Amino acid sequence: MMPTSDYDPACLPDLLPLYYRRLFPFSQYYRWLSYGGVSKNYFQNREFSFTLKDDIYVRYQSFTTQNELEKEMQKMVPYKVDIGAVYSHRPSQHNAVKSGAFQALEKELVFDIDMTDYDDVRRCCSAADICSKCWTLMIIAIRILDRALREDFGFHHLLWVYSGRRGVHCWVCDDAARKLSVAARSAVAEYLSLVKGGEETLRKVVLSDPIHPFINHSLSVVERYFQQYAIVEQDILGSKESVDKVLALLLVQFPDVFICLCVSVKSSIKKGGQYFDKEIMLQYCYPRLDVNVSKGVNHLLKSPFSVHPKTGRISVPIDLKELNTFDPFEVPTISLICEELERPTADEAEEDDVKDKENEQEAGERRRIRDYKRTSLAKYVKVFDRFLEAMARSWKGEMLKKSGELETSFSVFLTFMSFTYT
Amino acid sequence: MQFLGRRKKLIGNFQNDLYDQCLQFYGQPPLENISLTEFETFAVERLKLLKTVENVGVSCGKSSEQYTKKLDAEISSLNFPHRGGISEYEKRRKDHISHFILRLAYCQTEDLRRWFIQQEMDLFRYRFNCLHSKHKTDFLHKNNLKYETVSAEEKKNLKDKLIASSYGLSGTKVEEHDVYKVPFQDALDLVRTRKVYLLAGNAYIPHHEIVTIVLNDFRTRLSKALAMTARSLPAVQSDERLQPLLSHLSHAYVGQDYSIQKNIGKISLEQIDALSGKSFPLCMRHLHKALRENHHLRHGGRMQYGLFLKGIGLTLEQALQFWRSEFVKGKVDADKFDKAYAYSVRHMFGKEGKRTDYTPYSCMKVILSNPPSQGDYHGCPFRHSDPELLKQKLQNYKVSPSGINQILELVKGMHYQLACQKYFELTHNVEDAGFSLNHPNQYFTESQKLLNGGRDIKKEVDMSQRSQENPASLWSLKMELDRQGISAK
């Protein structure tokens, strides 16, 4: 078990410079956000925002090259990095643009699942806390949304990221996704929403005939995990007594209103019709999205590989193949990986010899590549690499389409090959 | 600028092709020459149709039987193409031309564009739904809507899923009718509400739902076209024949103008107070009350109220007496009144200056022109009053709380005339006003009719007669609006 008690937010000012100099995977990051160079100036017109020390927030940061990005981040040492949209002009020059001409053009379709949105249906934790029991809710959310985005909407390139504390983000990076309008994003988010209503609403899921195939798919995921999730309360819907238990589970945090809630929830269950059991399961477990995060083309979302200032954890990509064994408490903290960096390794001496022949920058790069590989960050960067490789295949296709000639496509192929590394 | 017989024959075939369908997307502008009379008539009639579409759409549900009946009637009476009858050529031509003329009038501001697009969409939806299934498919094909139909094989495989996703879809329907495969971005309304089956980024739309998709397409095209039209408008507006017409179309009132009063002298001044409570629309009741309380009204209020009074039958002598007696109670002495205000009253009655007999303001005019500022009492209370103040006023006039809520809902939806109509219904204790409110004098006439059982006030020249009284009365209306300096904004 990784000792997380090692992380102290006060150390951030010392750890972050080290992180950005030697561990942050700039090369892959730049490769991602350039999207194969298919669109001109895609990286240059991308907005980043930084949260600096003392909560100073700066928007409209943009960079022309990977090098510039690195230098700036190493200089400014942001506590948090957010990624925004690709604009019509360089965000850093937006004030020079005629009013109205500066527009957000494209951005990944994103989703933010936050555990606090489930507070009314989890009794193990509340607010910013999470534990292994309620983490199951995230697994359910990922499975349901990932399936729907791929099978229903036809998206292929999804990056799931642990936010560092209490939730997960999804970045849908397909070309079609990046070009979606506000209306389309909003429609996708609504399609995916089943749990509706705030504190005033008791019955947040209402099902009626016919049940849409999407709901059926989602139900089968929920049902699979519900047994596991509700293992403490066995057969919780089997009898009146256990329904009462469900109510108790639901209402234990609201003792004052227990009685009237009891009455009204019970009566609405009676009125609830044939699907009340499915509705309850969905109300417990179905993903709760914030539509506003997904709607806006210009919305800024926390960047992958950003550090969470409160927990110190790195926002790492999640490997869906290993989803069932993903443990948010095993995600490395910045203090851990910085510590791991300092530990000498056996083959370091060997590689020092090769260093002589290379120039400074390449050496720095290679060192950095070696560096993160020595830490617990390595396996997460690998997940990111695989994600990029899959996308790169589609970029290659795009570039070939654009160039059209055999000669050009060969040179593109060579360029593509040079992007990859072992 | 009449049609040349020879030209007609040459392009006859082309036109026949163009008008071989009842419904169209208005992709191509008309290429012929038409007379100014036809230009104007077509435009005004389409405007009437669109206004009916709006009114009927708000007062009945858009898929209700009433809606169908009322629209059917209006479309027939105005001679627009209907359910694909045989001798529809002339009607389709009118449909085509009138649409493009109104584009010119309604492209200029965001509000006008929005209104025009909304009504054209509702009209289109209605007419598309009236089409025979086969004609629907023909329409899609003819307009290059690249909506792939799903193969029989795929339909069979997906049958259960399709039935479970689409409302009103049965097994037989899936088998017999086409199902269209459309990129989900083109079917957002159905996606948002999860009323469609999605697979690999495509929405599977059953035949009967395809209208939603087509409508989205229609809206996008029309919106783009209007933006382009707005850019080329200056060239059109420089044509002197068209400029006044176009700038007034967007404000045009197309009903009775109440310039001919059949009841001159039938109202006595003593009746006005009582009448203001019983039969005046809210705007005039408000103006009357302000006049009585302040013994004064500013110019905007004098015009709006003064012309209204003329419309209900006051003579010039009565009007002079009315205004003088009230103003004298205030800060104005009789002399000053005769010098300063009497002139303008006579002017209203056409006895001064150019001697035009001015017509009372329509609701459109009251709502859209000359908004009131501090110290003014004119305008439309439903449009210009703060909702809280409006609520208070209605409470003072003893309108029921539920009635007030209904009115406020309509106001929120910007349906000011319907709100006034609802006020009529509540104050007269009827469920349906039985008319579509367009003019304050119409409110008065209808109210009197209701209260007096139709005895006293003879029904004035009715609308159908009016619409055949081509162009003279319409032209004079336009001339007058012009004189009053109505801008197109």
Side-chain angles (χ1 to χ4, degrees), chain B residues 67-118:
Chain B
Y67 184 79
T68 312
K69 235 175 34 184
K70 288 191 177 175
L71 263 191
D72 264 3
E74 188 74 4
I75 291 178
S76 302
S77 85
L78 289 170
N79 268 317
F80 277 100
H82 209 148
R83 294 162 184 269
I86 306 173
S87 58
E88 288 248 310
Y89 175 82
E90 279 308 316
K91 298 183 185 177
R92 293 174 190 179
R93 176 176 165 265
K94 175 166 151 176
D95 178 49
H96 185 208
I97 295 175
S98 60
H99 171 89
F100 276 90
I101 299 175
L102 286 191
R103 276 196 197 181
L104 295 173
Y106 280 83
C107 64
Q108 296 170 59
T109 70
E110 190 58 50
D111 280 342
L112 288 175
R113 285 202 282 255
R114 200 180 305 132
W115 184 86
F116 182 66
I117 291 178
Q118 183 60 54

Side-chain angles (χ1 to χ4, degrees), chain A residues 299-316:
Chain A
H299 188 98
L300 291 142
L301 187 65
K302 185 154 183 253
S303 169
F305 297 104
S306 189
V307 181
H308 196 297
K310 299 221 170 70
T311 62
R313 297 209 194 270
I314 313 291
S315 293
V316 292

